[in-house]
Amino acid sequence: MSATLGSQTDAPALLSGAAVGAAGGTTVATPTLRALLGRSSFWVIAAAGILAIAIVAVLVSGGTQAAGRALAGDNVSPAGSMALVEVLRQQGVTVTLASSLAEVRAAVGTDSTVFLYDENSYLDQSQLGELGDLAAHTVVVAPDFLALQALAPTVGFGGVSESDTLTADCSVPAANRAEELTPGGDTLSIPPDAGNPLLTGCFASGTTTFSLVQVQNDSTGGIISLVPDADLFNNENIAHYGNAALALGLLGLSDSLVWYLPTLADLPRTGPPSLAELTPGWVTPVLVLLMLVAVAAAFWRAARFGPLVAENLPVTVKASETMEGRARLYARSNARLRALDALRVGAVQRLALAVGLGRLAHLDEVIGSVAHFTGRAPDEVRRVLVGAIPESDAQLMALSDALQALEHATGQAVQPGSAPAARASASVSGESSPPPAERMDP
């Protein structure tokens, strides 16, 4: 390949495409890959971090969806309760899975049991009060503040149990059959001076904190059992301690059981569904991720400037000052090859004019003419002009000195009255060599 001589501003592009000899076959690349990676390392790390966060979010979201709803009667995962439901059915209990209060009204009978687990607090206080009046037995798992206010106003939260053993120690038959529960769950508190015979606490963790509280409905006489720890009923923990005996004792009191997990169908409708309600849950995280990627890309691309534009300076600046400023920029970014390319292009232009070649002369022609006039080997001249790549500041200075020495030697060789070194050596040995091919500008 050959490179056409151009202006000094095209220095990097000119020498990047020039071939470095038929023997070596290497190409000068400007700038190096290491320099590009060094300038963009921050944004590469930031993009990798965003990608890692997105992958973790997708995995966590997918794992939650794969686990299904907690305490669902048809969920076989560790968080579900299908094992308990199937055992109840084998014992002759008719279990109806309900997902709305309307379905509970249609399925409940005079001697039915209702199981309630409102994980997302879909029911309001009036709905909870109505639910407590529907059945003869109601089991409320992990009740929230509204549930306690609607069903048992005197009962409060007791925190996490710190007792190593939870024994029944009460008059509830289901608790006595269980004898002991898994320790460490949530508890409910009963005031010590309540004096209410219709309020019973079992599995005490302290003087006023219990893992099971039963209260009798004043209006209907139905029994409401409050169990603060939802893990007692899931597939993973149902077989531990006396959890199964307690669950079967509370839920198997009648032949009909309504397993009720409230859903969005229980929320009051005040108008048409909003866009957020109609949109799948994964849309919002994806939009947020795309916005973060767009912001990162904006910062990344904003740091890239376009090609240099020549414009007149408002003041006159000395050439030495601009040269020193550009040199400091090259030194700060370790752009040794780019700095050397600028020196090489200027040297190649001056050498072409010195040996009588025009501006459109090929690089190989300039190398051949300089080698002829100075008596140096063409490979050595090519190495100085385009071949050598500086790996350190010392090598950069050495190549700069070599360029200067080559220009000086060529200038001395082409002075009037001085014969080219190659011709002089040939005359001494009795040989003659034809002059190199030259192309002059018209």
Side-chain angles (χ1 to χ4, degrees), residues 280-350:
W282 56 266
V283 174
T284 300
V286 170
L287 290 178
V288 173
L289 179 61
L290 290 177
M291 291 177 62
L292 293 177
V293 172
V295 172
F299 278 102
W300 171 45
R301 297 305 301 177
R304 301 295 184 90
F305 297 99
L308 297 177
V309 178
E311 59 180 76
N312 297 326
L313 296 177
V315 295
T316 302
V317 181
K318 295 181 179 180
S320 60
E321 294 181 2
T322 59
M323 179 182 65
E324 182 179 358
R326 182 175 297 179
R328 288 180 178 177
L329 291 176
Y330 286 149
R332 182 182 303 174
S333 59
N334 292 327
R336 303 184 186 93
L337 184 57
R338 187 176 293 274
L340 183 61
D341 284 346
L343 297 176
R344 283 171 167 172
V345 169
V348 170
Q349 291 178 345
R350 291 188 293 272

Side-chain angles (χ1 to χ4, degrees), residues 88 93-96 104 107-116 131 134-140 223-225 247-260:
L88 288 169
V93 178
T94 302
V95 182
T96 303
V104 176
V108 72
T110 56
D111 192 31
S112 297
T113 300
V114 174
F115 173 89
L116 171 64
L131 187 65
L134 287 177
H137 308 280
T138 304
V139 179
V140 182
I223 300 300
I224 300 175
S225 301
L248 294 175
L250 294 176
L251 300 175
L253 293 175
S254 59
D255 296 335
S256 174
L257 171 64
V258 181
W259 194 279
Y260 177 35

Side-chain angles (χ1 to χ4, degrees), residues 140-195:
V140 182
V141 178
D144 57 7
F145 178 77
L146 287 179
L148 293 180
Q149 290 297 310
L151 302 175
T154 58
V155 179
F157 297 104
V160 179
S161 173
E162 297 181 355
S163 178
D164 295 333
T165 58
L166 295 176
T167 56
D169 193 19
C170 66
S171 59
V172 178
N176 290 325
R177 285 195 296 268
E179 295 182 356
E180 190 176 356
L181 294 183
T182 303
D186 294 333
T187 62
L188 297 174
S189 65
I190 300 176
D193 56 349

